[in-house]
Amino acid sequence: MKHLFSRLSPAQKIILSFLLVIFCGSLLLSLPWVQTASSQAGYLDHLFTAVSMVCVTGLFTRSVVDTYNVWGQLLCMLLIQIGGLGILTFIGFFTMESRKKLSLKDRRILRDSFSYGHNRTLGQFVRSIFITTFTIEGLGALLLMIRFIPKFGLRKGIFNSIFLAVSAFCNAGFDNFGNDSLLGLQTDVLVNITLALLIITGGLGFMVWFDLATKLGGKQKGLHFHTKVVLLLTAGLLVFGTVTSLWTEYNNPGTIGNLSFGNKLLVSFFQTVSMRTAGFASIDYTAARPVTLFIYLLQMFLGGAPGGTAGGLKITTFLVLLLFARKEILGLPHTNMGRRTLSPQLVQKAFGVTVIFQLTFLLGLLALGLVTDSSHRFIYLIFETVSALATVGVTANITTSLNTAGMIVIMLLMFIGRVGPLTLMVSLNHYQPKNAATLHYSKADIMIG
């Protein structure tokens, strides 16, 4: 078995690690002693929950609080944490801490799972992930305790704060409040801002943290180009989403129309942050206007930064496509940004990821439309499909009504969205023709545009 595992490609190891955690998690969640006495969940519900937690999505067919007791919720937190950081991170951390050396192939797997491009400080990088993660989650939990201890009591307040902090930082979108998610805390400034900061931090990507920490520690003069781009794009998309959401829902009494301006701004900002793959709901999406749902769809589709806990296409991938389009429109010889030139290989990879992501979305939407109740509005089916594939976890009240086939479709979309469509395709690609790199055929004349 060990020899067989060592022969797997890095992409296959990443996928297999997630599958093993999901399967073990579903079996553990099925145990009677981790469930509430009133739980009505079957194995498929537990499997769906395990997939959603390990893939840090947030969709569920049975709510956490109605299905799992304290022990079950502790297990849920563990699955979310493993899903957010990746099981290979835990394996790599404990291997290095036990003074064992990782092979070059294993180091490559770790780098690929985080989009990490440096070799010398991989051990320091992995350790910093754990230190930063637990520090930020701990600070977030402490802030949430200010609100939740008076609300729920000491023990439950502390537990709920930790659960929500872990879920937010990992961009999972799970809470242990019930089916209404955060609707009851819609205008709570402390809770909303704390969760928003946790979500944003988790969605920036581990490389960005590492770079910022190195800069603040005085070990380097400036930030890497990737970090600057991610911070700029994140800020721009948050402003765009907040303003457009506020504009389209301003007078809608079903969402924010009856709130004060300050609370309208707060809810619009939080929903924009949440749509970046977190999945916490502070409004009823069935009451939102179609144009608002379309804006949310765009935000979900783009997702966060690579190498972190966020999903989606990734904002840097979208930027590369825009820069290439600009290059083609203006007839420029190279794809440039500022005083930097993007390599043709990078542009090709961005196109490959986008095409596979879009095809997966279209096939998933078609499958979901074929197997679910035809009474659902089509925009809600699109909403559900993008939410699953981008590992966001919001729903227009469709998830709980899914049949078995629909649950399977959503589980596949969540899994593909977490490991990445391109990673999945690479892991399945065993065919490699001889001398493929040197083959060159006659030109194909195909008209486009």
Side-chain angles (χ1 to χ4, degrees), residues 433 438-444:
T438 60
L439 291 177
H440 183 78
Y441 302 101
S442 60
K443 293 184 180 180

Side-chain angles (χ1 to χ4, degrees), residues 56-57 171-173 273-279 300 303-304 309-312 390-393:
V56 289
T57 305
N171 282 212
V273 173
S274 187
M275 288 301 157
R276 303 286 309 288
T277 81
M300 288 192 290
T309 59
T391 67
V392 179

